[in-house]
């Protein structure tokens, strides 16, 4: 995969990854996307830290199917 977007905010990074997967509406769909992609975003965050020296403050999945962002803990 390829990281979709990130930006700096107050000296820390926010990572955003866009997903087009069709999933069930509501919490079930959110949990499915988290299950599928949390490890991928962890690797992207690790790469960003190594490349920039800045910490990743937040990892976000934006689901087009659900029309919303899902913040990963």
């Amino acid at each position: 995969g390829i990281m979709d977007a990130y930006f700096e905010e107050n000296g820390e990074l926010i990572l955003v990854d866009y997903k087009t997967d069709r999933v069930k509406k509501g919490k079930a769909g959110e949990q499915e996307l988290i299950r599928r992609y949390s490890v991928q975003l962890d690797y992207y965050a690790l790469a960003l830290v190594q490349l920039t020296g800045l910490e990743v403050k937040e990892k976000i999945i934006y689901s087009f199917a659900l029309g919303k962002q899902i913040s990963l803990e």
Side-chain angles (χ1 to χ4, degrees), residues 9-62:
E9 181 176 85
N10 299 322
E12 296 177 299
L13 300 176
I14 297 175
L15 168 63
V16 182
D17 206 47
Y18 302 105
K19 299 299 179 193
T20 58
D21 304 42
R22 292 179 188 244
V23 292
K24 293 179 183 177
K25 298 290 183 192
K27 287 288 183 192
E30 291 178 31
Q31 291 303 316
E32 180 61 23
L33 290 170
I34 291 169
R35 184 191 67 74
R36 289 180 191 173
Y37 297 110
S38 63
V39 172
Q40 180 183 40
L41 268 69
D42 287 343
Y43 280 120
Y44 290 167
L46 181 62
L48 279 174
V49 169
Q50 291 176 346
L51 289 169
T52 66
L54 299 174
E55 291 300 314
V56 175
K57 172 172 106 170
E58 189 173 3
K59 295 175 281 186
I60 298 170
I61 292 172
Y62 183 82

